[in-house]
Amino acid sequence: MPLSRAAFACRCLKQALAAALSARPPMPQPVVYVTGRSLGGCIATMLATYLQAQTWGANKPLFALVTFAAPTAGLKSFADYVDSRLWSLNERYVNAYDLVPRAWADLPTAKSWYPPPGPAANEEVKLLLTGIDLLRKGNAYVQPSATSAKTMNANYSMYDKELVNKTTGDYLGQVAFQHANSTYLTLLGAPVVPAGPVVTAVNPTAGQGNTQVVITGSGFDANSVVDFGPIPCTDFKVDQTGMRITAIAPDGTGIVDVRVTNNLGTSPAVGLGRFAYDNGPAPVVVSGVAPRSGKADTRVTIIGSGFASGAVVRFKDTVAGSVTVTSPTVITAAVPARPIDPEKTVNVTVTVGVATSSTGTADEFTYAG
């Protein structure tokens, strides 16, 4: 019977490790560290257990298992087996408010998150967590105990202070922050890895192939490459500041995300980083609202792109009055009466023709009182 890819990979790893061990003195007894983060931590739990169960001959190593932010790797029987093994070191590091390690053991706990100042889970988030938890199909997953399970941030002292409103966007954003590499490195007292590239805007937001496009953001360097959707850009220049790229758009169609990749990763897709071919229509994006809170009739300034005469502004489902389109990137409007809704924080959207801006944390407005 042919081996599966996973079994073949494990066998190859075991052979490579055996060869490396045979090339070193038997004393002191070697220790092999198996470690990983997030999904890598889940895989490390299974891989370390597999390797420890193998026959190693005279130069048998000890094994250490160290994981960070790892979701459960199996049921209680597997967790008990992992706990029963003799490890040189067995440590598991978890941020107390990281959702990922609670998959699939106790996701419902997150329905009571996050403590003040928030963001508290709203009804949409609770339904989302219930739906995800049902994917277990009744299986009871269990985290191995680990000789030393180190829980960090137990008092919720580290959180993204910009994501505290009781909205789905803020909650999901806080989930991402609590699981981020940089958050774990800070909690562990380790140096933070430099941030990867980030695209904050492109100008213009619409055009054709061969249009000159200025990409602004941060983390750009000489190793950066640029993509317009699935199409690589071959003609671009990175400014020495690392905050600007001048590119010639390749041929393409539709509305695409402009993204920058280098050795530290790929920039996330953002609303203001979209480019529309064939001169539009330009993407409609809301990237900011000022002020962020106030009462009905407060005049707010909405920043974004793709705005045009006749634009309709909504605070959740309520249409705003006195809308003035100052430019393709600026609108002013009067805050309408608060919608009949238990939540004070709502999303502000702009509709131009048939296009409506997507919602996110940047477009939130909180009703005072």
Side-chain angles (χ1 to χ4, degrees):
M1 181 177 179
L3 290 173
S4 68
R5 288 185 179 182
F8 180 75
C10 286
R11 176 175 290 185
C12 291
L13 176 61
K14 195 263 184 179
Q15 292 172 346
L17 183 56
L21 291 169
S22 65
R24 69 176 304 281
M27 296 300 291
Q29 187 175 10
V31 178
V32 175
Y33 286 81
V34 184
T35 184
R37 180 187 178 279
S38 193
L39 177 58
C42 178
I43 295 172
T45 303
M46 296 183 289
L47 180 60
T49 307
Y50 166 83
L51 291 174
Q52 193 194 59
Q54 302 305 301
T55 300
W56 293 96
N59 204 14
K60 181 179 180 179
L62 296 173
F63 284 90
L65 172 60
V66 183
T67 65
F68 304 84
T72 52
L75 307 179
K76 185 177 186 304
S77 57
F78 178 73
D80 290 342
Y81 180 73
V82 174
D83 291 339
S84 72
R85 307 300 295 172
L86 180 62
W87 302 99
S88 171
L89 180 68
N90 183 10
E91 293 185 342
R92 178 163 55 88
Y93 293 84
V94 175
N95 174 0
Y97 289 96
D98 182 2
L99 185 64
V100 173
R102 297 179 182 273
W104 298 87
D106 58 349
L107 281 174
T109 299
K111 293 181 181 180
S112 63
W113 289 356
Y114 287 90
N122 59 23
E123 291 307 311
E124 183 180 14
V125 166
K126 292 176 182 179
L127 286 173
L128 181 62
L129 290 172
T130 296
I132 295 174
D133 193 49
L134 289 174
L135 296 175
R136 292 187 300 110
K137 299 186 181 299
N139 293 308
Y141 290 86
V142 177
Q143 284 279 16
S145 296
T147 306
S148 178
K150 300 182 183 296
T151 301
M152 307 173 291
N153 198 29
N155 60 355
Y156 195 54
S157 58
M158 187 172 182
Y159 59 93
D160 189 327
K161 296 175 176 57
E162 298 297 320
L163 301 172
V164 295
N165 289 320
K166 191 178 180 181
T167 66
T168 302
D170 278 31
Y171 187 94
L172 296 179
Q174 194 68 244
V175 166
F177 175 85
Q178 295 297 333
H179 185 64
N181 285 333
S182 56
T183 300
Y184 268 79
L185 289 170
T186 300
L187 291 171
L188 290 164
V192 176
V193 176
V198 174
V199 172
T200 56
V202 299
N203 184 36
T205 57
Q208 300 174 331
N210 209 41
T211 297
Q212 180 174 291
V213 179
V214 176
I215 306 165
T216 56
S218 61
F220 307 152
D221 60 25
N223 296 315
S224 296
V225 295
V226 179
D227 295 296
F228 281 65
I231 309 300
C233 176
T234 58
D235 187 356
F236 64 91
K237 182 178 180 180
V238 181
D239 189 81
Q240 292 183 347
T241 64
M243 302 175 67
R244 178 185 174 105
I245 295 175
T246 303
I248 303 300
D251 291 335
T253 59
I255 299 176
V256 300
D257 293 305
V258 178
R259 306 177 75 175
V260 176
T261 301
N262 61 21
N263 294 336
L264 294 174
T266 299
S267 63
V270 296
L272 286 177
R274 308 188 78 192
F275 181 81
Y277 278 98
D278 299 323
N279 292 313
V284 181
V285 178
V286 174
S287 60
V289 178
R292 297 294 299 272
S293 63
K295 298 181 179 180
D297 295 326
T298 299
R299 194 142 191 95
V300 298
T301 299
I302 302 164
I303 307 298
S305 68
F307 303 157
S309 178
V312 177
V313 177
R314 290 182 175 86
F315 284 63
K316 195 173 183 181
D317 299 322
T318 305
V319 177
S322 303
V323 174
T324 301
V325 180
T326 304
S327 73
T329 60
V330 179
I331 289 177
T332 59
V335 176
R338 178 180 170 182
I340 302 175
D341 194 297
E343 311 300 346
K344 295 195 300 182
T345 301
V346 298
N347 295 107
V348 179
T349 60
V350 174
T351 299
V352 178
V354 297
T356 298
S357 60
S358 58
T359 59
T361 58
D363 62 36
E364 291 174 351
F365 179 87
T366 300
Y367 281 88

